[in-house]
């Protein structure tokens, strides 16, 4: 699931602003996505059944989306591409990628992503199961960004 997709003009669109009458595409694999705007979960995009896209098998939780929103959706789900390989960074802020990890991930997958980002002169910060603080979102976002200064 993803909060952001590409519209027919290759412009990034956030799911809650998307129109069900239009077509949307995955930033990673370019497959057409389904827009889901139900009443139980927040609006999001999803691949159709049988997709081989890496992003199709990444079921993000509300925890994940909340962390992305704290940084700002303009920094969320940014594609980094080189030599035919694409990765969608949870957050890309300047020269730093922030990856939020709430589910199992292999050591090999972490090492591969770190190497990929390092090859592109990007620093990588991993946040694993970090609790959301109880302060206001603006205060949390400000505190989280202090490490970059």
């Amino acid at each position: 699931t993803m909060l952001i997709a590409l519209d027919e003009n290759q412009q990034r669109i956030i799911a809650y602003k998307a129109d069900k009458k239009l077509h949307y595409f995955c930033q990673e694999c370019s497959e057409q996505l389904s827009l889901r705007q139900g009443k139980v979960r927040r609006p999001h995009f999803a691949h159709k059944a049988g997709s081989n896209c890496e992003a199709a098998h990444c079921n993000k939780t509300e925890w994940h989306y909340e962390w992305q929103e704290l940084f700002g959706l303009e920094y969320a789900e940014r594609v980094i591409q080189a030599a035919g390989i694409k990765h969608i960074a949870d957050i890309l802020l300047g020269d730093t990628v922030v990856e939020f990890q709430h589910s199992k991930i292999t050591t090999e997958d972490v090492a591969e992503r770190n190497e990929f980002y390092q090859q592109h002169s990007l620093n990588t910060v991993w946040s694993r199961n970090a609790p959301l603080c109880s302060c206001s979102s603006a205060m949390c976002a400000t505190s989280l960004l202090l490490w970059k200064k």
Side-chain angles (χ1 to χ4, degrees):
T1 60
M2 296 166 280
L3 290 177
I4 298 168
L6 298 176
D7 66 14
E8 293 169 337
N9 297 315
Q10 299 297 300
Q11 299 298 308
R12 285 168 44 95
I13 181 108
I14 298 169
Y16 65 81
K17 291 185 177 182
D19 181 341
K20 277 199 171 264
K21 297 175 191 162
L22 301 177
H23 299 283
Y24 301 98
F25 305 89
C26 176
Q27 296 182 89
E28 187 168 345
C29 71
S30 301
E31 288 179 9
Q32 188 170 341
L33 301 172
S34 298
L35 172 61
R36 299 189 178 160
Q37 294 177 317
K39 295 182 181 178
V40 176
R41 292 184 62 196
R42 73 172 54 223
H44 63 280
F45 297 99
H47 283 81
K48 297 185 183 197
S51 174
N52 290 323
C53 181
E54 180 181 317
H57 306 289
C58 178
N59 293 317
K60 294 179 183 170
T61 64
E62 191 64 24
W63 171 89
H64 202 109
Y65 293 140
E66 288 173 359
W67 272 110
Q68 286 181 308
E69 287 175 340
L70 283 174
F71 279 86
L73 291 176
E74 65 271 23
Y75 303 109
E77 297 181 9
R78 289 293 182 168
V79 174
I80 300 165
Q81 177 179 356
I85 299 171
K86 289 183 183 181
H87 280 292
I88 298 178
D90 288 331
I91 297 292
L92 179 59
L93 190 60
D95 65 352
T96 302
V97 170
V98 181
E99 290 286 357
F100 301 111
Q101 198 62 42
H102 198 54
S103 58
K104 290 182 180 181
I105 186 168
T106 66
T107 304
E108 293 81 13
D109 284 345
V110 170
E112 187 273 328
R113 282 196 228 169
N114 284 340
E115 183 177 329
F116 177 83
Y117 294 139
Q118 286 171 354
Q119 288 173 352
H120 299 89
S121 301
L122 297 168
N123 301 307
T124 309
V125 176
W126 288 83
S127 174
R128 180 152 171 79
N129 294 327
L132 286 164
C133 59
S134 60
C135 58
S136 71
S137 292
M139 182 185 283
C140 286
T142 302
S143 298
L144 289 170
L145 295 179
L146 289 177
W147 62 267
K148 183 63 179 154
K149 293 183 180 177

